[in-house]
Amino acid sequence: MRIDIVTLFPELCDGFLSTSILGRARAKNLFEAHCHQIRDYTKNKQRQTDDYPYGGGCGMVLYAQPIADCLRAVADQCAQQGRAKPHVVFLTAAGQPYNEETARRLSSYESLALVCGHYEGIDQRVIDTFGDEEISIGDYVLTGGELASLVVADSVLRLQPGVLAEEKGYQDESYWDGLLEYPQFTRPEVWEGQAIPPVLLTGDHNKIDAWRGRQSRERTRQRRPDLYDQWCATHPITQIPRWKRTERAQLIKTDAQLDAAAKLFAEGCRTVCRDVCTEAGLAEYTPEAMRQRLEEERKAGWAFYLHTTSDTPDGMVGVCHKTGEIGHLFVTQSARGSGIGTKLLDFARKKLAEHARPWLAVLDVNTAAIGLYRRMGYLPDGVRNMYQPGVDVAFCKPCKEFVMRYQPQD
Ligand code: ADE
């Protein structure tokens, strides 16, 4: 790939492209970069590059001519090298927002020319004539386009084959994948009393990958709900994990099964509600109270299933054939992350085959469950309950209970 930067500060840009990872890659000819001084293409005696804006207003506007001539020279150089005509990007605060997807798209051009604006802007006619697109790196205004062009150059060049190969080899396509990065740790193992997550010391790469994946999803869901929604839409769970030979889901009939479910139900409620309920509220989730609730719900038409692995209860789910509701999907703490929740949700929906669009209710704070439901094809469908501290005595924070409904995919 060849990158050309058209700027009033070529030394600044060149310095960046000659430093660190990009500098080493450039020295190895993994890409070619040229930084051009706009001033060298002026035709006036003073080598002036800008002038007052027509119509008045403060600041100065870059002339069209020097930029146009510089871009023509770049195109000629590319042609002489037998390269395609460069894809021309103007960096301006008024451009389209930049993201990793755009970086990937730009990285596929054989040559890319980045034009940096300065002062109040660039004569619109040169943008209209030469620009293939206008990009902004964020909703703030810089004094010039240099930093923006370097952000684009950096994010595009790191995707070029070989650029990151020696720098940990994480040019892996799945690295971004629309999610924020998982947390990283290095030595020492305990720093100022804080130990690293124990899973990272297990040496079990399947477990570590699963943990990192969960961390990425959790962070994205909490910090960037917009990105998480997009990710869910493009990453539905299409493959339900296979049931192991030792796994079963049985209709709860016996007292022992009901006791096991009540225990799971109580533990699950305490986990889900720990951030929104008072101590007194949490203390009411006892296995005895939950058993009573399960019995009452059973009389009202619910059927409950207990999941066991090697005969040890580790999950439960309920279905109501009358209403099409799925409820009480819980997995024990120690079995979480093993796919049981996904399997049980799929199992419950199939039990409700007479309902085209089964639904479930979930607290807004239960982001882990909301993420799973979304990826399994359940979309938000209103609010069932709003809880207020003081009014609902068990609650110490306001929270909502969403309804999510299965949306069959065609
Ligand atoms: N020039 C000034 N501000 C900019 C921004 N946010 N992005 C790209 N170029 C700019």
Side-chain angles (χ1 to χ4, degrees):
M1 177 176 212
R2 168 177 168 142
I3 281 208
D4 289 85
I5 301 187
V6 175
T7 166
L8 286 167
F9 301 100
E11 302 79 17
L12 184 151
C13 300
D14 205 73
F16 179 82
L17 296 170
S18 305
T19 307
S20 182
I21 299 175
L22 294 187
R24 285 196 288 279
R26 189 178 180 188
K28 282 200 254 165
N29 286 324
L30 292 172
F31 66 87
E32 204 180 308
H34 303 272
C35 303
H36 307 268
Q37 171 57 268
I38 295 174
R39 206 174 295 283
D40 291 346
Y41 294 84
T42 52
K43 289 194 167 143
N44 60 73
K45 266 209 200 103
Q46 297 78 25
R47 300 197 351 125
Q48 194 179 323
T49 54
D50 57 353
D51 213 330
Y52 295 103
Y54 275 117
C58 55
M60 304 287 271
V61 176
L62 290 176
Y63 287 134
Q65 171 270 318
I67 294 176
D69 286 349
C70 182
L71 285 171
R72 285 191 187 104
V74 169
D76 285 350
Q77 289 171 19
C78 288
Q80 275 164 26
Q81 290 181 323
R83 290 178 185 269
K85 188 183 134 334
H87 183 79
V88 179
V89 176
F90 282 77
L91 284 309
T92 72
Q96 289 295 318
Y98 190 60
N99 58 26
E100 186 69 18
E101 199 185 322
T102 311
R104 286 207 172 163
R105 179 170 55 76
L106 295 184
S107 74
S108 63
Y109 288 104
E110 195 184 355
S111 65
L112 185 64
L114 305 173
V115 186
C116 311
H118 238 263
Y119 311 111
E120 282 310 295
I122 304 177
D123 190 312
Q124 187 61 40
R125 293 168 295 185
V126 72
I127 301 180
D128 294 344
T129 310
F130 287 88
D132 292 304
E133 58 189 298
E134 257 181 271
I135 286 177
S136 159
I137 60 158
D139 292 340
Y140 39 80
V141 184
L142 302 165
T143 55
E146 281 70 23
L147 284 177
S149 74
L150 293 175
V151 164
V152 171
D154 188 282
S155 52
V156 164
L157 292 172
R158 71 177 278 287
L159 299 173
Q160 295 304 306
V163 171
L164 292 184
E166 283 177 19
E167 319 283 337
K168 296 210 184 94
Y170 59 115
Q171 82 277 43
D172 178 4
E173 287 293 296
S174 66
Y175 183 66
W176 157 253
D177 199 27
L179 291 173
L180 303 183
E181 208 189 340
Y182 48 80
Q184 298 273 21
F185 301 88
T186 186
R187 285 192 285 185
E189 201 180 307
V190 179
W191 174 76
E192 298 198 350
Q194 300 175 57
I196 63 163
V199 64
L200 300 178
L201 294 172
T202 59
D204 180 338
H205 283 281
N206 287 335
K207 259 198 189 156
I208 295 175
D209 283 352
W211 179 85
R212 286 178 166 165
R214 281 199 301 281
Q215 291 286 322
S216 275
R217 294 193 291 276
E218 196 62 31
R219 273 190 160 186
T220 313
R221 188 155 51 221
Q222 285 176 2
R223 299 180 182 183
R224 295 290 306 274
D226 55 328
L227 282 186
Y228 189 68
D229 279 356
Q230 269 177 37
W231 185 83
C232 288
T234 50
H235 291 75
I237 295 181
T238 45
Q239 266 197 318
I240 310 297
R242 283 167 67 101
W243 288 70
K244 295 193 203 118
R245 257 186 325 110
T246 48
E247 278 181 286
R248 260 181 232 352
Q250 284 171 295
L251 180 66
I252 294 182
K253 289 184 186 154
T254 68
D255 265 1
Q257 288 171 325
L258 200 60
D259 279 340
K263 229 173 112 196
L264 259 156
F265 189 8
E267 181 202 297
C269 287
R270 281 197 300 265
T271 308
V272 168
C273 297
R274 68 183 170 238
D275 295 330
V276 287
C277 277
T278 58
E279 283 294 328
L282 291 177
E284 299 209 347
Y285 294 121
T286 59
E288 298 71 37
M290 301 330 266
R291 185 184 156 129
Q292 212 177 337
R293 216 172 119 182
L294 290 176
E295 278 172 351
E296 279 159 22
E297 286 174 344
R298 230 165 29 168
K299 282 186 204 136
W302 280 81
F304 299 110
Y305 294 86
L306 187 66
H307 181 277
T308 53
T309 305
S310 305
D311 296 327
T312 305
D314 52 8
M316 70 173 291
V317 70
V319 295
C320 182
H321 287 279
K322 277 192 199 156
T323 59
E325 183 178 356
I326 297 172
H328 309 339
L329 174 58
F330 293 111
V331 176
T332 51
Q333 189 79 42
S334 52
R336 259 170 231 158
S338 54
I340 296 174
T342 309
K343 290 180 223 177
L344 280 181
L345 183 55
D346 178 61
F347 171 87
R349 186 174 63 72
K350 288 176 180 156
K351 284 278 166 209
L352 291 171
E354 72 277 23
H355 292 272
R357 300 184 63 205
W359 59 280
L360 38 81
V362 58
L363 285 184
D364 57 357
V365 286
N366 193 357
T367 52
I370 293 172
L372 170 69
Y373 301 155
R374 271 188 183 277
R375 287 179 296 115
M376 293 280 284
Y378 292 75
L379 296 179
D381 191 24
V383 173
R384 177 157 84 169
N385 274 313
M386 308 259 270
Y387 299 109
Q388 284 297 338
V391 180
D392 306 288
V393 280
F395 284 80
C396 59
K397 279 197 193 139
C399 83
K400 290 186 196 130
E401 193 178 31
F402 292 131
V403 169
M404 296 182 79
R405 196 175 286 280
Y406 184 68
Q407 184 69 55
Q409 268 143 24
D410 22 61

